């Protein structure tokens, strides 16, 4: 049985959590494959809003197994908080949530290193969520990391202490002013580790998924962040530290490329970005301000305002191609209601040429977006539930995108709630 992937195609926050929740009833297993608590995936149903950071977005499905794969980095303190937030919902966590033994642990000193690194960069800072993501992946690739499987071993605290001390020396040498109490941080860290050991099952996840595939189970891999934050293909260095693109699902779960079925690519009808880095179609005017206000564009993890701008089809096409997207999902069309005209970027002026691909640099002083103007729609979409209710002008916008990226849009989302999801016929 093929494994389907669901990925963000922009700079994150496309609405992955909502769509995974909507699709989860079709799957037996939902598996996160990269990132960590830098992610904030929002789900809304029955009047309640849930934000998940590490736990896969299938957790509210009554039967699905939710697996945190080897490619994910885990902060036990945040993981415990997420579990605490789920307590009122009577979910049998011990049975439906599994964690890979090969997933790496975020130590308190990884978060301190993240903060120290951003302070040292000054104005050139990445705008990291400060969840320790970069330093943890650095220790993973540097072969110094501590994994979930290690905490089952009796001597793991020695390994912990050695790594902590190394980090503390590094922080000292960075010469930045950082106040913290190691004692308080460690108290919370070890309490959370003890809790996780009792509350969650640790597994050899690649073997678990191999058997699941043999038994014809339906598996959905849930991405975090988005393609433009990918460590290789994003707007480096303003990216995250993992491969957010389709290939990341293979390494982050141990699944073979020829086992991948559908690749669902999610994008917003406009563009947002949180943190620093280039953003050619960013709008620093009233239009961008309106998108942010109507779309409630505040980070689900950090609460920071998200930068907003027009849809960038050059970047979207790049993401579709790099991931091999087979079906698109367009989110937040409702937010664009009321604009007379909408613009979409269909080319860039770059170093004296007009180009239609993503160049080496997306820096705003080198790239000027070239826009095509499309009619907007006035209708409020949020109460619509079927495709024949959607206004013609909205359908024209959708058709323009499909034509440009040569990929069908199968879902349009018209609000944050589970029910505000319209499946389009083929
Ligand atoms: P994720 O990180 O990709 O899961 O996305 P986030 O949860 O960080 O951000 C998406 C935000 O948009 C959340 O607040 C969602 O509740 C909200 N949302 C998702 N789909 C829609 C939609 O179609 N319309 C509106 N207005 N909000 C949406
Ligand atoms: P979800 O899964 C949006 C951004 C940060 C920063 C850069 C590096 O909710 O879509 P990091 O903490 O990884 O070192 O930050 O990446 N970033 C996200 N932006 N959505 C996310 O996740 C993000 N995860 C990281 O803002 O610019
Ligand atoms: Mg998010």
């Amino acid at each position: 049985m093929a494994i389907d992937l669901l990925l963000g195609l922009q700079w994150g926050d496309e609405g992955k959590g909502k769509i995974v929740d909507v699709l989860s009833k079709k799957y037996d297993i939902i598996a996160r494959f990269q990132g960590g608590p830098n992610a904030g995936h929002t789900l809304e149903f029955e009047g309640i809003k849930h934000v998940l950071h590490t736990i896969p977005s299938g957790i509210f499905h009554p039967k699905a197994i939710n697996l945190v794969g080897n490619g994910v980095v885990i902060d036990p303190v945040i993981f415990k908080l997420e579990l605490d937030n789920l307590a009122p919902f009577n979910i049998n966590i011990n049975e439906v949530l599994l964690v890979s033994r090969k997933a790496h642990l975020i130590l308190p000193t990884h978060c301190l290193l993240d903060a120290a690194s951003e302070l040292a960069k000054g104005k050139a800072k990445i705008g990291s969520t400060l969840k320790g993501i970069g330093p943890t992946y650095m220790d993973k690739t540097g072969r110094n990391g501590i994994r979930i499987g290690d905490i089952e071993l009796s001597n793991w605290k020695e390994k912990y202490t050695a790594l902590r001390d190394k980090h503390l020396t590094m922080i000292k040498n960075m010469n930045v002013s950082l106040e913290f109490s190691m004692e308080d941080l460690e108290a919370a860290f070890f309490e959370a580790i003890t809790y996780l050991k009792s509350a969650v099952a640790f597994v050899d996840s690649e073997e678990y998924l191999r058997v699941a595939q043999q038994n014809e189970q339906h598996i959905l891999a849930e991405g975090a962040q988005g393609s433009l934050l990918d460590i290789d293909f994003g707007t480096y260095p303003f990216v995250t530290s993992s491969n957010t693109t389709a290939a990341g699902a293979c390494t982050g779960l141990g699944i073979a490329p020829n086992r991948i079925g559908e690749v669902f690519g999610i994008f917003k009808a406009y563009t947002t970005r949180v943190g620093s880095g280039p953003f050619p179609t960013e709008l620093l005017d009233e239009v961008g301000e309106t998108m942010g206000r109507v779309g409630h564009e505040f980070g689900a993890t950090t609460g920071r305002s998200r930068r907003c701008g027009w849809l960038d089809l050059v970047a979207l096409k790049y993401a579709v191609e790099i991931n091999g997207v087979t079906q698109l999902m367009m989110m937040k069309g409702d937010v664009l209601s009321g604009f007379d005209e909408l613009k979409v970027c269909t080319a860039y002026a770059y170093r004296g040429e007009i180009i239609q691909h993503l160049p080496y640099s997306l820096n705003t002083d080198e790239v000027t977006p070239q826009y095509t103007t499309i009619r907007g729609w006035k209708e409020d979409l949020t109460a619509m539930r079927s495709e024949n209710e959607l206004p013609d002008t909205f359908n024209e916008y959708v058709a323009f995108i499909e034509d440009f990226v040569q990929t069908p849009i199968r879902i349009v989302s018209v609000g944050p709630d589970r029910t505000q999801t319209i499946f389009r016929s083929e």
Side-chain angles (χ1 to χ4, degrees):
M1 189 64 70
I3 295 167
D4 297 335
L5 310 185
L6 183 139
L7 310 157
L9 300 181
Q10 296 162 317
W11 278 291
D13 302 331
E14 297 88 353
K16 298 174 291 292
K18 167 179 166 163
I19 294 295
V20 170
D21 171 59
V22 167
L23 297 182
S24 65
K25 57 179 178 290
K26 295 190 187 165
Y27 292 92
D28 303 300
I29 301 171
I30 313 291
R32 267 280 300 272
F33 59 86
Q34 47 66 237
N38 48 349
H41 294 183
T42 314
L43 287 65
E44 269 190 57
F45 53 88
E46 292 158 16
I48 308 180
K49 177 171 157 175
H50 309 268
V51 180
L52 298 167
H53 301 287
T54 326
I55 295 175
S57 303
I59 198 70
F60 292 100
H61 184 273
K63 285 201 300 271
I65 297 291
N66 286 263
L67 174 77
V68 180
N70 58 279
V72 177
V73 290
I74 296 174
D75 181 329
V77 178
I78 296 178
F79 203 118
K80 178 176 181 298
L81 276 175
E82 288 186 67
L83 289 172
D84 292 347
N85 291 338
L86 291 176
F89 300 96
N90 290 327
I91 301 168
N92 202 347
I93 292 297
N94 227 318
E95 280 173 23
V96 299
L97 184 60
L98 307 175
V99 175
S100 171
R101 288 198 173 89
K102 293 196 171 81
H104 279 245
L105 269 181
I106 302 176
L107 310 186
T109 42
H110 282 130
C111 300
L112 297 173
L113 275 170
D114 220 356
S117 162
E118 287 283 75
L119 281 172
K121 284 193 161 107
K123 276 195 180 148
K125 72 175 182 181
I126 308 291
S128 162
T129 60
L130 302 179
K131 302 296 176 196
I133 305 295
T136 306
Y137 279 116
M138 278 165 72
D139 270 336
K140 174 178 177 175
T141 50
R143 297 156 295 179
N144 298 311
I146 297 182
R147 303 190 286 180
I148 287 289
D150 290 328
I151 65 178
E152 295 179 309
L153 308 175
S154 57
N155 68 341
W156 87 275
K157 284 205 179 150
E158 285 162 35
K159 203 170 167 183
Y160 166 83
T161 308
L163 192 56
R164 177 203 62 191
D165 290 347
K166 180 177 156 195
H167 289 162
L168 289 173
T169 309
M170 286 162 73
I171 292 165
K172 207 165 151 202
N173 291 339
M174 286 168 88
N175 258 330
V176 290
S177 141
L178 211 56
E179 277 184 29
F180 57 90
S181 154
M182 205 58 237
E183 206 179 311
D184 291 351
L185 291 172
E186 285 186 337
F189 178 74
F190 288 115
E191 187 203 325
I193 295 254
T194 308
Y195 177 77
L196 280 199
K197 277 164 115 173
S198 67
V200 181
F202 302 153
V203 293
D204 296 332
S205 55
E206 65 279 27
E207 171 63 7
Y208 181 86
L209 290 175
R210 189 190 64 75
V211 174
Q213 288 173 75
Q214 217 168 41
N215 294 337
E216 304 276 303
Q217 299 238 289
H218 293 79
I219 303 168
L220 177 67
E222 173 181 2
Q225 291 80 54
S227 299
L228 302 177
L229 289 170
D230 182 276
I231 183 74
D232 284 282
F233 302 108
T235 46
Y236 193 88
F238 300 100
V239 293
T240 191
S241 298
S242 63
N243 281 115
T244 59
T245 43
C250 297
T251 54
L253 291 173
I255 55 178
N258 61 357
R259 296 284 157 77
I260 291 173
E262 296 292 335
V263 181
F264 304 122
I266 302 214
F267 69 102
K268 277 180 193 168
Y270 48 102
T271 311
T272 64
R273 171 162 211 175
V274 59
S276 330
F279 179 177
T281 63
E282 182 170 15
L283 292 165
L284 298 167
D285 58 6
E286 222 173 86
V287 176
E289 192 272 325
T290 304
M291 288 172 177
R293 183 170 30 80
V294 179
H296 304 289
E297 294 296 355
F298 297 97
T301 295
T302 59
R304 293 178 291 177
S305 343
R306 296 177 182 145
R307 300 153 65 192
C308 298
W310 295 121
L311 181 61
D312 185 339
L313 286 181
V314 181
L316 188 71
K317 192 163 189 202
Y318 176 79
V320 164
E321 281 165 4
I322 227 142
N323 290 302
V325 170
T326 57
Q327 299 184 26
L328 287 164
M329 286 142 188
M330 187 177 93
M331 313 301 285
K332 298 192 115 165
D334 55 297
V335 175
L336 295 184
S337 290
F339 288 109
D340 290 332
E341 290 184 332
L342 302 170
K343 289 186 180 172
V344 290
C345 169
T346 45
Y348 299 136
Y350 178 72
R351 298 182 181 171
E353 275 183 85
I354 297 294
I355 58 166
Q356 276 203 321
H357 69 271
L358 214 72
Y360 175 70
S361 158
L362 270 195
N363 285 337
T364 343
D365 53 348
E366 294 205 90
V367 163
T368 311
Q370 309 294 296
Y371 289 110
T372 300
T373 302
I374 305 179
R375 284 193 299 163
W377 53 91
K378 289 267 173 287
E379 295 84 348
D380 176 3
L381 309 182
T382 56
M384 298 184 184
R385 294 292 178 273
S386 69
E387 63 177 326
N388 51 24
E389 293 172 80
L390 294 165
D392 289 346
T393 37
F394 176 83
N395 289 329
E396 283 165 23
Y397 189 72
V398 168
F400 188 92
I401 300 166
E402 286 182 316
D403 187 51
F404 193 94
V405 300
Q406 289 290 296
T407 311
I409 298 180
R410 287 276 174 259
I411 288 180
V412 292
S413 170
V414 293
D417 193 85
R418 219 185 231 179
T419 57
Q420 292 171 302
T421 311
I422 299 178
F423 288 81
R424 296 177 76 236
S425 45
E426 293 196 15

